[in-house]
């Protein structure tokens, strides 16, 4: 009887030992830590990116295959991932892992490294509320096809998304439109974080747009106006339909006819900051090619330096030519053409051009206006010996002054 009692006590002790020790052994194997780049106690803002990094703290058993999963809240948008310091392809998972982004790992030998950054994933904050990511492993095994015991501490990181300040509409002035001509203008706010466009909206709150125009949800005013005049209206900009700007009153003028020369959106030409000059026109540009850079070309006439209208579509447009927007016989807006390197105004770059620069350097006679600008090959605001050399080397085919 006494032996039976001793045996029973020993059995109970061993059972207790097993219950206590076995869970400890169950946590041995792979130990991972999850961190991110947000300081403790700090909030995150809309548009911020947060990178969650998983490091190996212990790795006794090793692993050769598995998927490392990051499960974000809905206000986090996947941006990029790494695995062992290399860019990785993360895939959106489904089934029992629906909503998670997984990075697969597959090797023929066990990974046994420690104190190593295993993987990371970056998300952009696109909504309000708490933003968090839960990390876990899926189907992690070693080369013996045994499941790998994983300990992760902590397995979830959460940060509060700061509510943004009330936005403001910053657009002050709208460009004029022309009746019967396509019009597009984009309203702007002081909110610039990258979040889905569906969470941003613009609304017409007072007044009327010209007939033919509409305000799109992304702030674009677009359409073809069918009436002219001056129109005053108010708009608001909102985030998530709950954070709304103050009303902003705007005025839009629709002209009966165009009153200003305008370049097309695809044009490579520029209007000089000093005004009055049309730049970036290259040598041997024809009248037809020049007009393709201008809006309302049917109302544009081009005159040579002597005031004669150029009508041939194949004629070269040279320095000193004047491009005019016409209202009947009246020029309502004009620009003088500058063709870099075409110093004598014939629309080509020939020996006469660098000779003219040489004479300018000798002050006999000096170049002025558009011709002086055409001679300034290096755009430094002065006509010097370098410009003479640059135009000459261009003519010889050694360099191209339009590459500067």
């Amino acid at each position: 009887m006494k032996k039976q009692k001793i045996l029973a006590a020993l059995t109970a002790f061993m059972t207790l030992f097993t219950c206590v020790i076995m869970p400890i052994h169950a946590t041995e194997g792979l130990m991972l830590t999850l961190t991110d780049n947000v300081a403790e106690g700090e909030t995150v803002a809309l548009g911020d990116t947060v990178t969650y990094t998983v490091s190996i703290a212990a790795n006794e058993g090793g692993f050769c295959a598995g998927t490392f999963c990051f499960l974000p809240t809905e206000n986090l948008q996947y941006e990029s991932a790494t695995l062992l310091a290399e860019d990785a392809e993360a895939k959106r998972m489904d089934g029992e892992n629906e909503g998670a982004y997984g990075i697969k790992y597959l090797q023929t030998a066990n990974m046994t490294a420690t104190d190593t950054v295993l993987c990371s994933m970056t998300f952009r904050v696109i909504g309000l509320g708490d933003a968090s990511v839960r990390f876990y492993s899926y189907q992690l095994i070693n080369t013996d096809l045994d499941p790998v015991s994983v300990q992760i501490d902590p397995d979830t990181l959460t940060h509060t998304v700061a509510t943004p300040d009330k936005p403001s509409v910053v657009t002050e002035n709208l460009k004029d439109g022309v009746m019967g001509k396509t019009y597009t203008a984009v309203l702007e706010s002081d909110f610039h974080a990258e979040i889905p466009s569906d969470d941003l909206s613009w609304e017409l709150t007072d007044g009327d747009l010209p007939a033919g125009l509409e305000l799109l949800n992304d702030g674009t005013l677009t359409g073809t106006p069918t009436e002219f005049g001056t129109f005053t209206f108010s708009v608001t900009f909102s985030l998530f339909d709950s954070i709304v700007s103050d009303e902003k009153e705007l005025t839009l003028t629709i002209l009966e006819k165009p009153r200003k020369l305008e370049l097309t959106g695809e044009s490579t030409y520029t209007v000089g900051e000093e005004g009055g000059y049309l730049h970036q026109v290259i040598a041997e540009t024809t009248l037809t090619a020049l007009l393709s850079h201008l809006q309302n070309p049917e109302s544009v006439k081009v005159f040579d330096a002597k005031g004669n209208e150029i009508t041939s579509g194949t004629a070269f447009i040279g320095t000193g030519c004047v491009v005019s927007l016409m209202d009947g016989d009246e020029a309502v807006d004009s620009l003088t053409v500058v063709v870099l390197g075409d110093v004598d105004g014939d629309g080509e770059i020939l020996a006469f051009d660098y000779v003219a620069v040489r004479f300018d350097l000798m002050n006999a006679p000096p170049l002025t206006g558009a011709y002086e600008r055409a001679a300034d090959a290096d755009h430094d605001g002065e006509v010097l010996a370098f410009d003479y050399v640059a135009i000459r080397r261009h003519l010889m085919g050694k360099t191209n002054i339009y590459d500067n």
Side-chain angles (χ1 to χ4, degrees):
M1 182 65 69
K2 186 175 182 180
K3 289 182 179 180
Q4 290 177 339
K5 290 182 178 180
I6 293 173
L7 183 59
L10 182 59
T11 301
F13 174 77
M14 290 302 295
T15 301
L16 176 62
F17 178 81
T18 302
C19 291
V20 173
I21 298 300
M22 289 306 291
I24 294 176
H25 282 288
T27 62
E28 292 180 355
L30 182 63
M31 182 179 293
L32 304 175
T33 59
L34 176 64
T35 59
D36 62 28
N37 60 339
V38 181
E40 185 175 356
E42 292 291 323
T43 60
V44 293
L46 286 171
D48 285 353
T49 56
V50 182
T51 299
Y52 298 85
T53 301
V54 177
S55 300
I56 304 175
N59 190 11
E60 295 185 10
F63 61 92
C64 70
T67 302
F68 301 105
C69 306
F70 295 75
L71 179 61
T73 49
E74 291 185 355
N75 55 349
L76 290 178
Q77 177 177 279
Y78 169 78
E79 293 277 311
S80 61
T82 67
L83 176 64
L84 297 173
E86 299 288 339
D87 290 343
E89 181 182 3
K91 292 187 176 180
R92 190 72 180 265
M93 305 175 73
D94 53 22
E96 62 184 294
N97 297 294
E98 185 173 2
Y101 290 84
I103 306 173
K104 288 186 177 180
Y105 180 84
L106 179 63
Q107 296 293 328
T108 57
N110 282 335
M111 152 79 74
T112 57
T114 58
D115 299 324
T116 298
V117 173
L118 174 60
C119 56
S120 69
M121 200 167 290
T122 298
F123 295 89
R124 184 173 300 280
V125 181
I126 60 171
L128 301 178
D130 286 341
S132 67
V133 162
R134 182 169 72 87
F135 173 81
Y136 62 95
S137 64
Y138 179 66
Q139 295 180 340
L140 196 61
I141 61 173
N142 60 25
T143 52
D144 294 326
L145 302 184
D146 294 326
V148 175
S149 176
V150 181
Q151 181 181 352
I152 309 170
D153 184 28
D155 65 353
T156 302
L157 290 175
T158 300
H159 301 288
T160 298
V161 181
T163 301
D165 295 333
K166 183 169 70 173
S168 297
V169 178
V170 298
T171 300
E172 295 292 342
N173 300 299
L174 294 171
K175 65 181 181 179
D176 293 346
V178 179
M179 185 174 68
K181 300 292 183 181
T182 300
Y183 181 88
T184 300
V186 179
L187 305 184
E188 295 183 348
S189 75
D190 59 359
F191 180 82
H192 300 295
E194 294 183 34
I195 66 174
S197 58
D198 289 346
D199 294 323
L200 309 175
S201 61
W202 290 83
E203 184 178 356
L204 182 69
T205 55
D206 189 33
D208 294 311
L209 296 175
L213 292 188
E214 62 177 328
L215 175 61
L216 303 183
N217 195 54
D218 65 358
T220 302
L221 274 172
T222 187
T224 302
T226 57
E227 59 180 335
F228 65 92
T230 299
F231 303 83
T232 300
F233 53 91
S234 296
V235 298
T236 58
F237 170 74
S238 63
L239 312 175
F240 309 107
D241 295 325
S242 59
I243 306 173
V244 185
S245 72
D246 292 331
E247 284 189 335
K248 183 65 173 286
E249 186 176 87
L250 297 171
T251 299
L252 172 60
T253 297
I254 301 298
L255 303 171
E256 184 178 11
K257 297 179 181 179
R259 307 296 295 179
K260 186 175 179 61
L261 281 168
E262 302 234 25
L263 300 173
T264 65
E266 297 76 28
S267 176
T268 55
Y269 297 168
T270 59
V271 177
E273 293 182 2
E274 73 280 14
Y277 293 103
L278 183 63
H279 294 277
Q280 307 300 327
V281 183
I282 65 174
E284 301 184 17
T285 293
T286 64
L287 173 64
T288 298
L290 181 98
L291 292 177
S292 70
H293 286 255
L294 299 170
Q295 296 188 34
N296 308 303
E298 70 281 357
S299 300
V300 173
K301 290 184 178 181
V302 181
F303 303 89
D304 64 23
K306 296 181 180 179
N308 301 311
E309 183 181 356
I310 300 172
T311 57
S312 171
T314 59
F316 289 155
I317 304 301
T319 297
C321 289
V322 176
V323 182
S324 295
L325 178 66
M326 308 299 294
D327 183 1
D329 293 330
E330 178 190 3
V332 295
D333 191 27
S334 296
L335 294 170
T336 301
V337 175
V338 176
V339 178
L340 192 66
D342 172 31
V343 185
D344 66 353
D346 65 358
E348 300 179 89
I349 299 179
L350 302 170
F352 297 106
D353 298 299
Y354 66 76
V355 170
V357 176
R358 184 176 180 182
F359 280 129
D360 175 79
L361 295 174
M362 299 168 60
N363 243 10
L367 296 169
T368 60
Y371 304 99
E372 182 180 17
R373 287 166 172 78
D376 182 17
D378 62 354
H379 311 284
D380 67 352
E382 298 181 277
V383 179
L384 302 172
F386 177 87
D387 301 301
Y388 165 81
V389 173
I391 294 174
R392 184 172 181 179
R393 286 176 62 83
H394 175 91
L395 183 59
M396 296 168 65
K398 293 185 176 181
T399 58
N400 187 338
I401 59 173
Y402 299 121
D403 289 339
N404 296 329

